[in-house]
């Protein structure tokens, strides 16, 4: 009888162990340039033994890893705001002398293999480029770049660790909370609700993350209006602040929003009083899944010259391509799965909701512990 009463206690601790999932956590700081033109994701890693700590940019436009070399003698490398990697002081460094000529043309340097520490996980024998090209880091708050394109070299180490060949992105808001997170080799189930909906990759052009989309719809007053029917790829680029699409279709959305060109800058804006009445925008994938953004998702409130501006996070360009940026990944927890060639989405849980959910979990766990102990005593 007493053993049976202990079973819920064991289940509680098993549940606590699995909360958050397995993976390598990298807390992120996020910076956005003026008018939301671009977003940078920064984190901290250590390289070598003993560890040398660097601020790095996690970048979706490259697949390799770059770190400033101590052989760099420019003003950027010599100032106090940047750190450089010294292979001679690392016991685990393997310093190479030959490297791909293509890489050499882009960023002269020398390939190195060393232990990289991210979060509380050490990854041995990770290859990266120790570079002397300081222009990559001039006026930047980072000393290195970690590439997260489709064929990212870092992801292949996940399998060696017995973990998933994935990485997951969680973007909290407002960004100054410093609660955004990149998780390598897994996902954090406490940061999204429901099940992940996976969409297969349509192509790996330029090593980007491209998914097949079928249509975009506007929902307003219980009616759905197709904006476009589309058979092609949308590129998922979290470092973009916008959803970017062909002018023909974006103009249709602007018209439905009654958007006007801002007098302060060349952006589209809406009356801030209308945000809660704006139509929602749904993206339907080739797998028939729908992902919906409301006005609160695709409108950002800014203060410019002491005036409040409600900026539309959709912009047009002359090509037929679509780019899905942080407007989307801020709303949806995103899992990039290299092993199965797919991307998973689930609605993110942000601070206020997650804190409430955590309180419920704690209360439930306390009840499950106290009740069996009560029966054991009496």
């Amino acid at each position: 009888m007493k053993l049976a009463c202990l079973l819920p206690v064991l289940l509680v601790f098993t549940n606590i162990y699995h909360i958050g999932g397995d993976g390598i956590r990298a807390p992120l700081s996020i910076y956005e340039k003026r008018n939301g033109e671009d977003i940078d994701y920064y984190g901290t890693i250590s390289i070598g033994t003993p560890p040398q700590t660097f601020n790095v940019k996690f970048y979706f436009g490259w697949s390799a890893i770059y770190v400033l070399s101590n052989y760099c003698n420019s003003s950027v490398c010599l100032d106090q705001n940047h750190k450089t990697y010294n292979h001679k002081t690392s016991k685990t460094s393997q310093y190479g002398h030959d490297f791909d000529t293509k890489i050499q043309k882009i960023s002269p340097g020398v390939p190195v293999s060393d232990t990289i520490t991210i979060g509380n996980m050490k990854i041995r024998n990770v290859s990266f480029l120790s570079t002397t090209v300081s222009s990559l880091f001039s006026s930047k708050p980072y000393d290195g770049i970690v590439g997260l394109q489709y064929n990212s070299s870092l992801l292949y180490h996940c399998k060696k660790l017995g973990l998933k060949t994935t990485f997951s992105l969680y973007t909290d808001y407002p960004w100054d909370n410093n609660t955004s997170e990149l998780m390598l080799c897994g996902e954090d189930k406490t940061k999204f609700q429901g099940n992940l909906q996976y969409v297969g990759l349509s192509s790996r052009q330029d090593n980007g993350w491209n998914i097949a989309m079928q249509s975009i719809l506007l929902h307003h007053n219980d009616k759905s209006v197709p904006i476009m029917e589309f058979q092609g790829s949308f590129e998922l680029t979290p470092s973009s602040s916008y959803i970017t699409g062909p002018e023909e279709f974006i103009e249709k959305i602007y018209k439905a929003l009654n958007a006007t060109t801002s007098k302060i800058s060349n952006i589209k804006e809406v009356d801030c009083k209308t945000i809660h009445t704006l139509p929602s925008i749904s993206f339907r994938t080739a797998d028939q899944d729908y992902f919906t953004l409301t006005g609160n998702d695709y409108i950002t409130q800014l203060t410019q010259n002491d005036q409040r501006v409600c900026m539309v996070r959709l912009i047009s360009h002359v090509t037929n391509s679509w780019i899905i940026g942080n407007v989307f990944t801020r709303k949806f927890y995103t899992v990039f799965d290299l092993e199965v060639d797919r991307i998973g989405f689930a609605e993110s849980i942000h601070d206020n909701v997650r804190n409430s959910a955590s309180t419920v979990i704690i209360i439930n766990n306390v009840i499950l512990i106290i009740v069996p102990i009560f029966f054991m005593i009496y």
Side-chain angles (χ1 to χ4, degrees), residues 68-74 77 84-85 87-88 95 110 130-132:
L68 275 172
S69 169
N70 68 312
Y71 287 112
C72 172
N73 57 11
S74 72
C77 298
T84 58
Y85 170 75
H87 72 284
K88 294 181 181 180
Y95 205 59
V110 178
S130 179
T131 180
T132 59

Side-chain angles (χ1 to χ4, degrees), residues 232-251:
S233 293
F234 280 31
E235 181 182 351
L236 189 63
T237 307
S239 54
S240 171
S241 295
Y242 300 95
I243 291 176
T244 306
E247 184 176 6
E248 173 189 358
F249 303 115
I250 296 296
E251 287 296 332

